Amino acid sequence: MTRDSYTYDWSYEVTFEYELGYCGSNRAPEEHEIEVLSIWDNCKGEEVTGYEFNTLLDDVEEEINDYLNNL
């Protein structure tokens, strides 16, 4: 797995690990494997945890997936 960071919605710094899915010409692309390790709220100056983390997670993973598709 490769570790990277991504700024989400200008307010959050997301640290995640990923493994790129296969994107061959003869097969449909496989999904990337993404594991969000932490989300830092730049406005509050603290790590996002609990309910707020869980509510952000799906949107963050979707945007990271789009980001990885454009690498």
Side-chain angles (χ1 to χ4, degrees):
M1 299 281 268
T2 303
R3 186 173 287 200
D4 201 352
S5 63
Y6 181 80
T7 301
Y8 173 74
D9 196 31
W10 302 103
S11 300
Y12 301 98
E13 189 68 30
V14 180
T15 302
F16 64 99
E17 290 183 339
Y18 69 93
E19 189 170 323
L20 294 177
Y22 177 75
C23 292
S25 59
N26 296 333
R27 295 177 39 185
E30 295 175 0
E31 293 206 12
H32 306 303
E33 185 179 329
I34 300 167
E35 181 181 353
V36 174
L37 302 174
S38 67
I39 301 174
W40 181 265
D41 187 326
N42 291 324
C43 296
K44 293 180 182 176
E46 61 186 34
E47 188 169 354
V48 176
T49 59
Y51 179 76
E52 186 180 7
F53 180 88
N54 291 330
T55 57
L56 286 170
L57 193 57
D58 286 340
D59 292 335
V60 167
E61 286 178 336
E62 185 176 325
E63 194 162 314
I64 290 172
N65 191 57
D66 291 342
Y67 163 74
L68 293 175
N69 284 336
N70 293 315
L71 287 180

